[in-house]
Amino acid sequence: MIKACGRLRGCERLLIAGAMLTQKIVSAISDAIYHRRLPPGTKLNERDIAELFDVSRTVVRQALIRLSQDRLVEVSPKRSSSVACPTFDDAYQLYQMLLVLESGVIDQLTKSITQNELEILRAHTLKEQAAYQAHDHDLGDKLGREFHSLLISFLKNDILNNIHNQLRRQEALINALYRSGFDYCQLRDEHTRLVDCFERRDAASAKNLLASHYNLVIKGYKFNTTVPPDIDLKAVLGL
């Protein structure tokens, strides 16, 4: 009995260690994609990654499957993987879905939003402006996405939150891969104006502003279909 318990504890430790290694690979590749060190279409060789992290190819495979679930990586049946290459149509459909979902949220929030929630949104827009004034564009982008997540969270609907978070992860990928040197000052102003609409309980103006907002976001993308260069995985993964 004691030996059996010992074996179980040993298996549990191995499972935990494997999960930690998998997460380490997921985090490293995700970070490299979001910070544009891994361009769209870059091949991700399982053997090379296994050697870099000193793990089995099974662990690497698990990490790549996790990344594919967030649509950061495309895994083919032949066990070849590459960084995802979202198209303009993918971006358009994504923002169309976000617009439909968030427009419904606007209808609800203009009826139910509290003064405290309005103050939270106001404070958040000030953080966005401060980040961009400090030229911390990565933080500004992150706060900009979080503004929309805040809106969803006010409805306290877990299913809605999960759907929105998944769409936002896809949006973060497209933003990281394809955003050009576009002037996003107007977008920051639009978040402030959206809060004004909520304060006035003006759902129609808020939805029109949101549609204009997402059209402007898409215009800021430059879709590059060139073949990615040879990548030094050790360097881009920070190893």
Side-chain angles (χ1 to χ4, degrees), residues 204-233:
S205 295
K207 288 189 285 188
N208 287 336
L209 188 59
L210 187 68
S212 170
H213 178 85
Y214 281 140
N215 283 333
L216 195 61
V217 169
I218 292 176
K219 288 180 181 177
Y221 292 146
K222 183 178 180 180
F223 289 86
N224 185 359
T225 58
T226 59
V227 177
D230 290 334
I231 297 294
D232 181 352
L233 275 179

Side-chain angles (χ1 to χ4, degrees), residues 74-113:
E74 294 173 352
V75 180
S76 79
K78 295 183 178 179
R79 289 181 172 265
S80 64
S81 303
S82 60
V83 177
C85 295
T87 64
F88 175 82
D89 285 342
D90 292 330
Y92 180 80
Q93 290 176 25
L94 172 65
Y95 283 111
Q96 191 177 45
M97 183 62 191
L98 283 168
L99 179 59
V100 169
L101 188 151
E102 292 181 9
S103 292
V105 171
I106 286 172
D107 282 330
Q108 295 293 318
L109 280 182
T110 49
K111 299 173 186 175
S112 65
I113 197 164

Side-chain angles (χ1 to χ4, degrees), residues 14-81:
L14 286 173
L15 287 172
I16 293 170
M20 291 174 66
L21 289 170
T22 298
Q23 183 56 46
K24 182 179 179 181
I25 297 169
V26 168
S27 297
I29 294 177
S30 297
D31 186 71
I33 291 172
Y34 285 136
H35 288 88
R36 306 187 186 197
R37 298 193 301 273
L38 281 174
T42 302
K43 297 296 183 184
L44 299 172
N45 185 281
E46 287 184 17
R47 183 182 294 107
D48 292 344
I49 297 172
E51 290 176 359
L52 286 174
F53 286 91
D54 193 23
V55 297
S56 69
R57 291 181 66 176
T58 300
V59 171
V60 174
R61 186 70 178 176
Q62 290 171 344
L64 293 174
I65 290 172
R66 284 264 304 278
L67 289 161
S68 72
Q69 290 169 347
D70 282 342
R71 300 191 181 184
L72 297 179
V73 166
E74 294 173 352
V75 180
S76 79
K78 295 183 178 179
R79 289 181 172 265
S80 64
S81 303

Side-chain angles (χ1 to χ4, degrees), residues 122 125 128-129 147-148 151 182 184-198 205-206 208-217:
R122 293 277 185 209
T125 59
E128 286 184 64
Q129 292 166 7
F147 176 88
H148 296 266
L151 295 180
F182 185 72
Y184 278 76
C185 291
Q186 187 175 342
L187 295 183
R188 297 195 296 281
D189 292 339
E190 284 179 347
H191 282 172
T192 302
R193 290 164 60 197
L194 271 171
V195 182
D196 292 339
C197 291
F198 283 120
S205 295
N208 287 336
L209 188 59
L210 187 68
S212 170
H213 178 85
Y214 281 140
N215 283 333
L216 195 61
V217 169

